[in-house]
Each structure stands twice: as C-alpha cells, then as structure tokens.
Amino acid sequence: MTDPVISLLRGEGPLPGPREGAWDAVARQAVSEGLAGIALSLLSRSGRLQDLTPSARGILEADLTKVRLEQTLLFHRFEALRGTLDSAQVDFIVHKGGALAPLLYPRLEDRPMVDIDIVIRPEAWRRVRDALVAARYRLPPGSQEAFWLENYFNLSVTSPEDPASHFDVHWSLTQEGRYHVATEDLFARAVPYQLGGSSLKRLADEDLLLSLFLHLAYHYFEASLIWLYDMKLVIERLAIDWDTFFDRAARWGLMAVVAFNMVYLEKVFPGSVPVEVLARGRPGAFRSRLAGPFMSSSPRHLFRGEERRLNQLVLGLLSIDRPADAARFAAGKIGRTLRWAGRRPRLR
C-alpha cells in the first residue's frame, strides 16, 4: 500500500506526476500532519516543486504562512515566560518541538508546534506556580489542576494575553513507577543550544531520542508522522552513542518502548535505524507474540484497534519492561479512575 506523504518524507517511492490533480490530496494530507513546511523544503531540494499544481502549492504555502505567524507569536510569548522563570530563579530545559526545530530543520517553521514544552525540577513546581500566577498566566481551572497533578507529569499553562499561547510544564518525562527517569540526571547532562537569539538548554542527545520514544509510547494511538520524522532526523544528524542509549534505556525501564518504536520507525522509514542497532533493540519473542495480534497493516500505524480502550491498556502494559511496574501502573490507573469517577474534568 503506497502512501505519497510517506514517499515524500522518505525521498523515494511513487509521487504524482507533474501537475497531476492528486497533488492537492497530498498537500491536504501534509497539512493535516503538520508537514507543509518540510514538504515544500523537500520538494524544492529534489527539484520537484514545479510538479505541484498551483492549488496544491497554494495549500502548502498558506499553511506555512499560518505556521510562521503562529510561531512568531509563540516565540515572543516564550521570551516572556522565560523572563518570568528567570526572575524566579528557576532553571529549565526546553523539550520536544522548541528544541527540535532549530536543531534538525532547515527553517523553524518546518517544525510546527502548538505549544512549547519545558522541564523543571519537581521540587521547583510550587515556586514556578507562584511565579506564573503572579504574572497572570492561566492554569487549568477548578478541579482540572488537581486532576493533572494527580494523574500526569505535566501541566498546560496559558499566556496572560489573547490570542492564547500554550506552554507545557513538565516535572518529569513520565508517570512515576511506570518508567524510571531521574529528572535531576537530565539537568546534569543538558546541553546548550540557540533558539533565535536566546541561549537555552536542551536534553543531551541520547536523552533526547529516548524522550521522543517515550512520548510516542504515550501516544501510539494518535501518532503523528512528524514525531517519527523527528526521530529519523535525530538518528541521522546527531552522534548517538548507542551503548549509552541502550544502557540508559535499560535503567529507565524503556527497552520494550525502544523495541516497539524501532519496529515502527523501520516500518515508516526503512533503513533509518542502523542494522546492528535494530537487531540489538528487537522485541523479545514472548512480547512479540503477545503484541502480534495488535499489529496494523496500515503504513502509518503500528497498532490496530486504536479506538478500543482495552487494546490501549493491554499495549500500555506490554510497553512496560518490568512486571512489577506493569502491575503498579495497572493498579494505580484503576485507583485513579475510581477516585475521579463522575468528576473527571473535560480537558483541552
């Protein structure tokens, strides 16, 4: 089954011919996946930009202009957030899109983002919250804040001004007990980088790739192609120390996550993971047998039956290395569900 958007990202495979009407559908799919900018960059680099119909090029360029305007506002508001955190003497790491855009993409707008994620130390949360409230940032209203604090490891905050800009404040990369990531270690290994004219910190290379794998594991059932493309570019462009990577994955309890994500990457972008690394990260026979009935034939999806909550729970448990952690996670999830039964807030 061919997928022209994946073919475009791979730089190989069938694409519509010059000025064929099918380009309009490809453009709309690229926009829906947040890939308008990178699609234009890749087509320009391959000399195929002139193959687009005028309407397809218009679809891509209109979305790129929209992303540019949204990012200009988001980065401006991020500078204000940074000032608030600096005044409160809070150290932070920029996570996901805000670090990936300048690190991997030819233009910042080639990597759109709906928010900017930062990681703080867990003990800094109260100080961060006080500083945000004093600066009139909007936190989740009513019971939503308590729900996020109990059930998740990050909280979305909104700029004081409208139109709103959103920022996700993480005090961990994961729910406690499900995996084992020491936030303090992330700070000890963080490296400097530039976003516009600002000097900031991002995760170290191996931590960055593992964090992307971990993020995808929480969202297998709503995965975006750009997340997989991020991983492909990290592997291609950063000097990943694979011994360090696997040692850290084992300590964090992420070997199953790594195995599933490498299968996913190889499916969407064959050859993006070195052969020897792919072999080292292969899922075990027992886990493969259990996951086999859930695997999808779709070129964009790893698992099928994505809308079924039971499938999501089973695969979530299969993505946890240690049986004791899986049991704790299941018990905690059931307990939190019962505690919030009938009063779970509607989330953004």
Side-chain angles (χ1 to χ4, degrees):
M1 185 187 305
T2 59
D3 185 313
V5 175
I6 292 179
S7 294
L8 176 59
L9 294 176
R10 288 177 180 172
E12 60 182 34
L15 288 172
R19 303 295 175 122
E20 285 186 3
W23 276 114
D24 288 31
V26 175
R28 284 191 291 270
Q29 287 180 42
V31 167
S32 72
E33 291 278 356
L35 293 165
I38 197 61
L40 287 165
S41 290
L42 291 172
L43 287 165
S44 177
R45 192 183 309 159
S46 65
R48 296 206 61 181
L49 197 55
Q50 66 273 16
D51 288 356
L52 294 176
T53 60
S55 53
R57 186 162 180 170
I59 290 168
L60 293 173
E61 289 181 343
D63 191 68
L64 182 62
T65 298
K66 175 174 171 285
V67 170
R68 280 192 184 118
L69 293 172
E70 290 173 346
Q71 280 196 355
T72 298
L73 180 64
L74 181 61
F75 293 154
H76 174 71
R77 297 273 174 77
F78 179 62
E79 278 301 307
L81 175 68
R82 180 190 180 190
T84 297
L85 297 177
D86 285 348
S87 296
Q89 298 183 312
V90 173
D91 198 14
F92 66 89
I93 297 169
V94 181
H95 183 33
K96 295 193 293 191
L100 296 170
L103 190 65
L104 303 175
Y105 288 85
R107 302 173 295 191
L108 291 176
E109 58 267 32
D110 284 354
R111 179 46 169 91
M113 57 199 83
V114 297
D115 53 27
I116 291 180
D117 296 71
I118 63 170
V119 181
I120 62 169
R121 292 177 169 89
E123 63 272 17
W125 165 245
R126 180 52 55 183
R127 192 152 35 105
V128 169
R129 188 189 188 282
D130 290 346
L132 293 173
V133 170
R136 298 186 298 110
Y137 283 84
R138 292 170 278 186
L139 276 65
S143 62
Q144 283 193 29
E145 182 179 344
F147 179 83
W148 278 99
L149 292 173
E150 181 174 344
N151 289 275
Y152 295 95
F153 46 91
N154 62 295
L155 194 75
S156 179
V157 303
T158 305
S159 62
E161 314 92 340
D162 288 318
S165 293
H166 302 284
F167 306 96
D168 268 6
V169 180
H170 298 246
W171 47 90
S172 176
L173 295 183
T174 181
Q175 289 163 319
E176 289 301 319
R178 185 172 180 178
Y179 304 108
H180 304 275
V181 184
T183 303
E184 189 57 45
D185 291 346
L186 302 179
F187 276 87
R189 293 189 292 263
V191 296
Y193 83 106
Q194 294 287 318
L195 178 61
S198 298
S199 296
L200 299 163
K201 292 180 184 175
R202 66 166 177 88
L203 295 172
D205 294 350
E206 292 76 23
D207 291 345
L208 177 60
L209 184 56
L210 282 169
S211 76
L212 298 180
F213 278 16
L214 182 52
H215 174 255
L216 181 59
Y218 278 101
H219 299 280
Y220 279 138
F221 303 101
E222 51 185 0
S224 172
L225 279 178
I226 200 162
W227 299 346
L228 291 152
Y229 196 65
D230 287 338
M231 297 174 194
K232 173 181 182 290
L233 294 183
V234 166
I235 292 169
E236 287 175 354
R237 301 186 183 180
L238 301 185
I240 301 297
D241 183 318
W242 292 108
D243 288 336
T244 298
F245 174 88
F246 280 108
D247 176 68
R248 206 161 289 163
R251 285 191 285 110
W252 289 5
L254 286 182
M255 290 301 291
V257 166
V258 166
F260 283 139
N261 284 13
M262 286 187 173
V263 169
Y264 202 177
L265 266 174
E266 186 63 15
K267 179 180 186 178
V268 179
F269 299 114
S272 58
V273 181
V275 174
E276 65 277 9
V277 174
L278 198 61
R280 192 171 172 183
R282 186 175 293 121
F286 179 69
R287 203 178 299 267
S288 293
R289 281 197 298 271
L290 291 176
F294 297 95
M295 305 306 284
S296 172
S297 60
S298 164
R300 295 197 188 194
H301 299 275
L302 180 59
F303 299 117
R304 61 181 181 82
E306 298 176 338
E307 72 286 352
R308 298 173 191 162
R309 296 292 293 175
L310 181 58
N311 284 11
Q312 295 176 17
L313 177 60
V314 169
L315 289 164
L317 294 173
L318 280 177
S319 298
I320 300 174
D321 286 5
R322 305 163 191 172
D325 290 341
R328 251 191 316 271
F329 166 69
K333 182 137 185 101
I334 292 168
R336 290 190 299 272
T337 299
L338 292 174
R339 280 196 298 277
W340 286 93
R343 60 192 186 95
R344 175 182 171 131
R346 179 173 294 180
L347 306 177
R348 174 174 71 84

